[in-house]
Amino acid sequence: MTVLADSTSSSPLHFAQYFLDHSSEDLRLLWSHTWLSVVPVVIGLLIALPLGWTARRYRWTYPPIISITGLLYTIPSIALFVMVPPLLGLDTLDPLQVPIALTVYSVALLVRVVADGLASVPEDTVQAATALGFRPVERFFKVELPIAVPVIAAGLRVAVVSNVSIVAVAGTIGLSNLGQLFTQGFQLSTPDAYYPPIVLGIVLCVLLAVVLDLAVVGLNRLLTPWRRAVPS
Amino acid sequence: MTSRILASGAAAAVLALGVTACGSDSSDDTTTGGSSSAGGATIASKFIFGGAAEFKTRGDGLDGLKRNYGVEFGKFRVTDTGGPVTVNALKNGQVDAANVFSTDPAIKANGFVILADPKSNFAAQNVVPIITKSKASDGVKTTLDGISAKLTTAGLSDLVSKVQVDKEDPDAVAKGWLSQNGLSSAGTAAKGVKLTVGSANFPENVVLAEIYAEALKAQGASIKTKLNIGSREKYYPALKSGSLDLFPEYSGTILTYLDKKATASKPDDVYTALQAALPSNLTALNKSDAQDSDTVVVTKATADKFGLKTIADLAKPAE
Amino acid sequence: MIADVVTWLTDSSHWTDTKFDTGIWTQLLAHLKFVGIALAIALLIALPLGLFIGHTRRWGWLVAGANALRALPTVGVLVLLTVIISPHFQGRTDTGFLIPTEIVLVLLAVPPILSNTYAGVQNVEPGIRDAAFGMGMTGPQVLLRVEFPISLPLIFSGVRSATLQLIATATVASYLPLGGLGRFIYDGLAQQDYPQMIGGGVLVAALALLTDLVLATIQRYVVSRGITRRFSSKQAVPDSRIAAVHETDGAHA
Amino acid sequence: MIRFDAVTKRYPDGTVAVDSLELTAASGQITVLVGPSGCGKTTSLRMINRMIEPTSGTIWLDDTDTASMATHELRRQIGYVIQHAGLFPHRTIVDNIATVPFLLGTDKKEARKTALELLERVGLPPHFAKRYPAQLSGGQQQRVGVARALAADPPVMLMDEPFSAVDPVVREQLQDEFLRLQQELGKTIVFVTHDIDEAIKLGDQVAVLRVGGHLAQLASPVELLSRPIDAFVAGFVGRDRGYRALGFTTAGTLSTRGEPTVTLGAAIPKGTDTDTWLLVVDAQQAPQGWLDLGADFTGHETVSDELLYRGGTLATQGGTLRAALDACLSSPSGRGVVVDDGGALIGSVTAREVLELIEARETERQP
């Protein structure tokens, strides 16, 4: 019994033990959390690229596009999560509701980033590319987009990191991700405080955010080799 | 914290149990009814009541307390559905009375006093497996009926306490209970059956689902679990559409969820009404005696100070 | 659906308090209180710190450290702090829930304000700093009379971004038994009252927009035209390249 | 007067930016520090107002050791102009100019009044006062920068490559006006540039520094051009320094001969066999250009603008030998046109005559 009591200690430092005791469940939550954090950003970027390009190419569209996407970003996530199923006619348990809501946020965040990233491409470079005979689409993918990568990557870092936090919010309405560790820990904290699942959830969320952040940084470096060629 | 939303419901027999344990009796029955009409400030009118938001709108919520006992609280404070927020708010004095579930180990741990519900404001809440009809083979039925037969309210409290107080894992607790009750022996009664077992996201419901799952597994069934799904409005549609097959439910709440006008409050009445209210593809197997009911609780200090034993006492004039 | 939301929002009984229901006005004030307290504390911490770090170019790691705070899951920290703090406050007080909420909100608001203030001061052209010192300004004079006013656009952008996040995230207060506009969202969810829930969401979004508009107006009057380059058309502008700086960040809940 | 007394600046990494510099910048004069990049000229300048602290040695401002003063007090007594002007973008032009008076606690109204006067003095219209730096061109900003440095009427001005960021035409304008202003004000000025031509044009004395912070030569511009102390200075001063040196020798009264002229608009005269070039003047006798009488005038009866060759420069009576020689060399007729201060024709000289004069001067100087 002492062994058991030890392994179920309420101390915050026992989160590692808690993880070992529940590793398959926790890994499942971690995996679903990762998935939910990454996929919406990727889809969001794919949607934001043409929108951002439009906002940049046709200047008059910039204010409305940026205002509308900015407006979407002010909707509290908890409200968006519960609004998505009835608005789109989805099943209430539909696993898509969180990714859809998060995609909305990612688009909202990234449209501006893409537009500003494209704006960061020097006008001279665009002119030169045009003079060299690039057609508009070619020029976008071969010249403008690569040069805009660092700015877009900065936006992506913000998007993935904040997504990790928002996904946890979805845990509070009973969706399966690391946020559940918080609700479980909270429930188990009556009558006495029980920290391990809460601390474990925070640790895993932070680790996940850091790893995803580093992944974007690495991707950025990979895609912009010329930025490392700094004259001494 | 929408977890136990509508997983709330009623306390009838259980209340008597709880109150007896607290040294209460049903002798007040005769005096309670009319006392609220005495006028002036009642005890309740000085109280802040804590409960889930839906307690304001539920038939057996604030309305039921007023209708049955003439109890009208001074203020209502939204906490959560019998979860940690409610318990803490009551313990710390942010609210004076609260809606907590009868099996909650926090009641014992904090010395909360359950106020008796002699008029059965809260309906009976027997634990009952709800299952997709097509999956309810004889073997499955026998297995689950065996569990229901052994499950008691005291046993249920014990299970919750193991998870919540001793922080044991629900699946370990489930296995322990099954072997203790001689239900863990291997067999082939449910061989060939494929089932997905679901649970809401509060410890007791998770343990119950684990018990069902482990017992069926032992009988050869192929089991998938989807535990810790949020509130009833999340999981019920899944149950109805067939993406979940088996769910531990509470007879009173699921009945109110299906039929908002339901008035049954006694265990057998509730069970009969429930069978009638379920859609054709679902059925309720035998109910157990175990109940986890809604209760109105106050702290020991409050109970002593105002001499509170039943809900009706709240309608007495304040000193 | 939309009509139901409009009906819910336009029902005057939803705006005022009744015995058991708290009205929109009260929750709006509560929401603003959460945001206001957190913003004030975050400003008190992040603004002087950002100015100091940007001016002295020392302790830059603090900015990186603050940015790492963005990785913290809001809900997790809220739960953790509540479990730690709330048992210490007995009686009819919300302090035990208010403190965790405000800490979480402050943690959220500090990074954008700090990093933008720091970046704003650090991005002041070296020539301008040099001229300011060269003319005999003391360190604090350079900071307050030159660097601070020049960094105002970036500082404002950080404050506005932080405010938006605060308004959206203050809804988590209702996860604990506190008021605020999040109450309508969580209660609507619990009561399956979708018009109430979506109405709450609409109110939060509207509050965010309105607040941003107010801040934009203040910014317009506080930031020198010499920096915003909003010159009347009559006046010549030889160099029309406008430095566009946007704050793009946002842990959001 | 500013005096560097064995001033050394050594950075923590061991680099010596300035090596025991001895230098005196005389009161009321322009001292130019010039040299290639890395020679420590800017470091030297910035040590005067202690934007950089010397490692050792003393810099004297008149009789005061600058190290003994509070830095901000010291700086308020010294005007400071830098390359990109460094104007405060959030303040109007008038408030930019009044920066130091404001710091000194001068009455705001008074300070602005002075600022407006200075605005005019540096050649900007008064309606610029309410504008912001972003609304001004680079050259205009630099004028404001000079006005700002002058606002508290400091006896000393430090100028760090103030004109190097503007285009050549504007730069020459700014230099000329700067010299005019200095004639009126007589400040003690230390001026840093990497442009040897600018140094020679503006400096009363020029200090050439070499990499590593050594003073290579301190001399007047003429001396620098005529007697560079070593190969480094010679190389830095440049190839045609002999020719440029002529710019510092006045020609004295040139003995001119009369030049036949024709007035613009008169009938085209017939040319002689020996000389086909005829000088064209306007009604005020100001030379306009040369007419090639050997050319084909079909369709023209009078001397008109489009027939003129305008190649030649003009030399002023009493101007420099360099200007006189240039006038000869640039004239299509080979005769340099000499005018009086009002621009009216006096006569012409030939290159041979100017060269004889130069030779005569050389023999005078080197007996």
Side-chain angles (χ1 to χ4, degrees):
Chain A
M1 280 316 279
T2 46
V3 174
L4 190 68
D6 196 8
S7 71
T8 56
S9 164
S10 301
S11 153
L13 295 173
H14 280 72
F15 69 89
Q17 186 62 45
Y18 184 91
F19 176 74
L20 294 176
D21 291 347
H22 305 80
S23 59
S24 70
E25 167 77 355
D26 294 338
L27 286 174
R28 191 178 61 76
L29 294 178
L30 178 62
W31 173 242
S32 118
H33 205 111
T34 310
W35 188 247
L36 286 173
S37 305
V38 173
V39 172
V41 177
V42 175
I43 299 173
L45 181 62
L46 292 179
I47 298 173
L49 278 176
L51 279 175
W53 178 82
T54 309
R56 176 71 195 146
R57 176 71 181 73
Y58 306 99
R59 300 291 165 89
W60 62 270
T61 62
Y62 185 89
I65 288 180
I66 297 303
S67 315
I68 291 169
T69 51
L71 188 69
L72 288 177
Y73 203 71
T74 63
I75 303 173
S77 50
I78 191 89
L80 199 55
F81 288 144
V82 287
M83 273 156 66
V84 163
L87 284 178
L88 298 184
L90 295 173
D91 189 273
T92 41
L93 249 191
D94 200 302
L96 283 178
Q97 75 183 104
V98 173
I100 288 174
L102 287 171
T103 303
V104 171
Y105 285 129
S106 300
V107 170
L109 190 82
L110 291 174
V111 165
R112 176 177 219 163
V113 169
V114 170
D116 293 348
L118 292 176
S120 77
V121 178
E123 193 56 34
D124 295 346
T125 310
V126 179
Q127 298 281 345
T130 315
L132 285 172
F134 282 95
R135 279 167 297 151
V137 176
E138 243 179 332
R139 192 184 68 202
F140 177 75
F141 283 106
K142 294 191 177 165
V143 180
E144 292 172 79
L145 196 55
I147 295 178
V149 161
V151 177
I152 296 176
L156 282 177
R157 292 178 65 183
V158 173
V160 285
V161 171
S162 60
N163 264 9
V164 172
S165 180
I166 302 176
V167 170
V169 174
T172 68
I173 54 168
L175 294 162
S176 177
N177 59 60
L178 291 175
Q180 272 190 4
L181 290 172
F182 305 137
T183 33
Q184 279 171 21
F186 201 16
Q187 276 170 341
L188 293 177
S189 286
T190 62
D192 301 308
Y194 185 57
Y195 297 109
I198 305 175
V199 175
L200 177 66
I202 293 176
V203 168
L204 290 180
C205 277
V206 170
L207 281 179
L208 179 59
V210 169
V211 168
L212 292 180
D213 188 49
L214 287 178
V216 178
V217 171
L219 210 62
N220 180 28
R221 280 175 66 91
L222 211 66
L223 289 175
T224 57
W226 62 87
R227 280 166 64 86
R228 271 167 289 160
V230 179
S232 53
Chain B
M1 273 296 89
T2 51
S3 54
R4 269 176 125 163
I5 285 165
L6 300 184
S8 46
V14 169
L15 266 210
L17 269 177
V19 167
T20 310
C22 296
S24 173
D25 204 355
S26 56
S27 60
D28 284 339
D29 260 17
T30 46
T31 57
T32 45
S35 61
S36 67
S37 55
T42 62
I43 295 170
S45 72
K46 308 246 167 183
F47 274 18
I48 299 177
F49 187 83
E54 73 271 16
F55 200 81
K56 290 192 282 189
T57 46
R58 256 165 50 185
D60 58 354
L62 293 177
D63 288 347
L65 293 178
K66 188 180 172 191
R67 195 176 56 242
N68 288 316
Y69 295 104
V71 168
E72 274 195 87
F73 290 101
K75 274 181 93 179
F76 183 87
R77 171 144 203 183
V78 178
T79 51
D80 61 3
T81 317
V85 173
T86 310
V87 171
N88 280 324
L90 184 64
K91 189 164 124 190
N92 296 341
Q94 277 103 29
V95 299
D96 307 294
N99 173 214
V100 176
F101 294 94
S102 58
T103 56
D104 193 330
I107 295 175
K108 198 175 149 200
N110 294 301
F112 293 161
V113 175
I114 297 175
L115 298 183
D117 179 22
K119 296 200 169 177
S120 300
N121 171 62
F122 299 113
Q125 295 289 12
N126 299 79
V127 172
V128 58
I130 304 287
I131 189 168
T132 308
K133 256 184 197 162
S134 57
K135 302 285 173 107
S137 68
D138 287 346
V140 171
K141 267 188 197 164
T142 318
T143 309
L144 294 175
D145 287 351
I147 294 169
S148 295
K150 296 272 184 178
L151 204 58
T152 62
T153 301
L156 192 57
S157 293
D158 190 44
L159 288 172
V160 180
S161 186
K162 279 207 167 95
V163 175
Q164 204 154 322
V165 180
D166 305 336
K167 321 293 185 199
E168 289 179 38
D169 283 348
D171 58 340
V173 174
K175 280 177 190 157
W177 184 88
L178 285 169
S179 69
Q180 224 168 41
N181 289 280
L183 296 169
S184 59
S185 50
T188 52
K191 198 164 173 57
V193 182
K194 275 185 170 177
L195 272 170
T196 306
V197 184
S199 88
N201 60 350
F202 56 100
E204 177 183 283
N205 208 247
V206 176
V207 177
L208 287 170
E210 293 275 17
I211 289 176
Y212 292 168
E214 292 298 334
L216 288 170
K217 251 189 239 171
Q219 293 301 320
S222 149
I223 299 291
K224 265 173 51 180
T225 52
K226 279 194 178 170
L227 306 182
N228 277 308
I229 306 170
S231 52
R232 182 166 287 103
E233 48 277 13
K234 290 234 146 295
Y235 65 71
Y236 181 77
L239 192 58
K240 197 176 162 188
S241 69
S243 49
L244 293 174
D245 303 307
L246 176 62
F247 216 96
E249 265 294 0
Y250 304 87
S251 55
T253 359
I254 181 71
L255 174 62
T256 340
Y257 178 80
L258 295 170
D259 177 7
K260 295 221 163 28
K261 292 180 189 137
T263 52
S265 68
K266 294 218 163 56
D268 290 338
D269 300 346
V270 171
Y271 184 73
T272 316
L274 173 61
Q275 281 293 22
L278 280 169
S280 56
N281 64 328
L282 296 178
T283 184
L285 299 183
N286 283 354
K287 67 178 164 54
S288 72
D289 284 343
Q291 290 211 33
D292 179 10
S293 324
D294 280 278
T295 63
V296 172
V297 299
V298 295
T299 60
K300 180 86 170 49
T302 307
D304 290 349
K305 184 177 170 196
F306 295 96
L308 300 175
K309 286 173 179 159
T310 73
I311 299 174
D313 291 343
L314 290 165
K316 287 179 181 167
E319 305 282 308
Chain C
M1 186 69 151
I2 293 170
D4 291 344
V5 175
V6 172
T7 311
W8 185 84
L9 282 171
T10 49
D11 184 342
S12 63
S13 71
H14 291 144
W15 287 78
T16 48
D17 295 354
T18 58
K19 190 168 178 193
F20 295 132
D21 291 310
T22 312
I24 294 172
W25 287 123
T26 308
Q27 301 294 34
L28 189 66
L29 281 178
H31 204 91
L32 284 174
K33 188 183 86 177
F34 300 144
V35 172
I37 292 175
L39 189 62
I41 296 174
L43 278 173
L44 280 176
I45 296 170
L47 203 57
L49 206 57
L51 289 174
F52 175 82
I53 297 172
H55 179 72
T56 60
R57 320 265 157 123
R58 272 186 293 174
W59 301 1
W61 54 268
L62 260 177
V63 178
N67 276 325
L69 287 179
R70 298 181 201 235
L72 284 174
T74 309
V75 191
V77 179
L78 181 69
V79 168
L80 180 67
L81 292 174
T82 305
V83 170
I84 295 173
I85 294 172
S86 73
H88 298 290
F89 292 89
Q90 307 284 325
R92 291 208 173 153
T93 167
D94 287 342
T95 317
F97 300 112
L98 194 59
I99 292 176
T101 307
E102 294 294 354
I103 293 177
V104 165
L105 293 180
V106 168
L107 286 179
L108 204 66
V110 162
I113 301 178
L114 179 65
S115 58
N116 271 40
T117 305
Y118 160 77
V121 175
Q122 222 201 5
N123 287 346
V124 171
E125 263 180 59
I128 293 171
R129 261 171 74 99
D130 194 55
F133 277 113
M135 273 181 302
M137 287 192 182
T138 59
Q141 280 172 335
V142 173
L143 182 58
L144 294 178
R145 298 191 190 185
V146 180
E147 290 172 323
F148 178 63
I150 293 175
S151 9
L152 270 179
L154 261 182
I155 295 176
F156 258 99
S157 144
V159 171
R160 285 168 65 177
S161 157
T163 309
L164 279 184
Q165 288 173 54
L166 286 181
I167 290 174
T169 311
T171 48
V172 298
S174 309
Y175 180 62
L176 309 177
L178 290 176
L181 295 173
R183 202 66 274 154
F184 300 114
I185 298 172
Y186 278 91
D187 291 2
L189 185 66
Q191 297 172 339
Q192 297 188 71
D193 180 357
Y194 287 99
Q196 178 187 352
M197 188 195 76
I198 296 173
V202 170
L203 286 171
V204 176
L207 180 63
L209 280 182
L210 209 69
T211 312
D212 196 48
L213 206 67
V214 170
L215 287 175
T217 312
I218 295 175
Q219 177 172 6
R220 207 184 153 103
Y221 284 100
V222 171
V223 179
S224 159
R225 279 194 301 129
I227 293 167
T228 58
R229 311 207 175 180
R230 282 184 300 104
F231 303 125
S232 66
S233 52
K234 275 182 283 176
Q235 290 172 308
V237 184
D239 183 4
S240 62
R241 277 170 301 160
I242 293 171
V245 262
H246 297 304
E247 155 78 355
T248 48
D249 73 292
H252 185 303
Chain D
M1 182 202 68
I2 299 161
R3 189 158 61 83
F4 286 76
D5 187 2
V7 174
T8 296
K9 177 66 192 179
R10 184 179 292 107
Y11 285 104
D13 66 358
T15 334
V16 177
V18 176
D19 192 8
S20 28
L21 182 64
E22 300 278 351
L23 182 73
T24 302
S27 296
Q29 294 217 322
I30 302 175
T31 301
V32 180
L33 307 183
V34 70
S37 56
C39 72
K41 54 189 191 293
T42 294
T43 307
S44 304
L45 181 90
R46 287 162 65 87
M47 283 194 292
I48 298 172
N49 65 354
R50 290 176 60 199
M51 296 294 282
I52 296 174
E53 296 286 350
T55 311
S56 65
T58 314
I59 298 172
W60 299 88
L61 185 60
D62 293 327
D63 296 323
T64 318
D65 177 356
T66 52
S68 69
M69 305 171 73
T71 49
H72 63 274
E73 301 282 351
L74 171 71
R75 291 171 190 163
R76 287 172 194 179
Q77 295 174 23
I78 299 178
Y80 187 50
V81 186
I82 58 175
Q83 190 173 5
H84 291 279
L87 298 184
F88 301 146
H90 60 297
R91 290 192 182 170
T92 56
I93 298 304
V94 64
D95 283 3
N96 258 292
I97 297 176
T99 302
V100 181
F102 285 169
L103 284 175
L104 293 170
T106 313
D107 174 59
K108 290 230 165 186
K109 224 172 140 186
E110 190 65 28
R112 290 206 173 99
K113 211 178 125 217
T114 319
L116 278 174
E117 288 167 18
L118 275 166
L119 191 65
E120 250 187 291
R121 196 152 207 178
V122 297
L124 291 175
H127 69 265
F128 271 36
K130 290 281 170 221
R131 291 196 178 178
Y132 288 93
Q135 294 170 285
L136 269 55
S137 70
Q140 290 166 339
Q141 289 192 24
Q142 205 48 264
R143 287 168 196 252
V144 176
V146 172
R148 181 172 68 173
L150 288 169
D153 199 17
V156 175
M157 290 245 285
L158 307 180
M159 306 180 82
D160 189 2
E161 308 218 14
F163 307 139
S164 61
V166 291
D167 69 70
V169 178
V170 175
R171 187 185 312 149
E172 192 150 339
Q173 252 175 16
L174 289 173
Q175 288 168 345
D176 291 342
E177 286 184 43
F178 169 62
L179 285 175
R180 173 182 60 75
L181 208 60
Q182 167 65 356
Q183 241 166 22
E184 293 170 26
L185 300 173
K187 302 280 182 195
T188 306
I189 294 173
V190 181
F191 191 110
V192 163
T193 180
H194 61 266
D195 175 1
I196 184 69
D197 290 329
E198 184 168 71
I200 284 167
K201 177 170 180 181
L202 300 180
D204 291 314
Q205 61 171 350
V206 178
V208 182
L209 300 169
R210 75 174 93 212
V211 179
H214 303 278
L215 178 61
Q217 186 172 10
L218 175 65
S220 71
V222 201
E223 206 179 332
L224 202 63
L225 289 169
S226 51
R227 291 186 194 166
I229 202 163
D230 58 17
F232 165 74
V233 178
F236 190 75
V237 169
R239 284 236 160 84
D240 48 357
R241 59 183 176 275
Y243 175 63
R244 284 188 286 155
L246 294 177
F248 294 93
T249 317
T250 48
T253 308
L254 292 162
S255 50
T256 58
R257 78 175 60 86
E259 182 70 28
T261 62
V262 61
T263 313
L264 211 56
I268 299 173
K270 214 172 164 345
T272 63
D273 295 337
T274 51
D275 187 2
T276 64
W277 291 103
L278 183 62
L279 187 65
V280 180
V281 294
D282 66 3
Q284 282 77 43
Q285 286 296 300
Q288 299 297 307
W290 297 91
L291 189 66
D292 182 5
L293 294 176
D296 178 13
F297 293 119
T298 318
H300 293 275
E301 289 181 2
T302 59
V303 180
S304 60
D305 259 351
E306 66 254 39
L307 297 175
L308 300 186
Y309 287 77
R310 297 179 183 275
T313 59
L314 301 175
T316 315
Q317 187 65 284
T320 65
L321 282 171
R322 178 174 163 172
L325 187 58
D326 194 67
C328 302
L329 297 175
S330 64
S331 165
S333 67
R335 302 191 296 277
V337 180
V338 181
V339 295
D340 65 15
D341 285 342
L345 177 69
I346 294 174
S348 67
V349 289
T350 61
R352 176 184 296 270
E353 286 160 355
V354 178
L355 286 172
E356 276 166 7
L357 201 57
I358 294 171
E359 257 171 44
R361 288 291 163 80
E362 281 300 300
T363 31
E364 264 172 49
R365 274 167 44 148
Q366 297 170 325

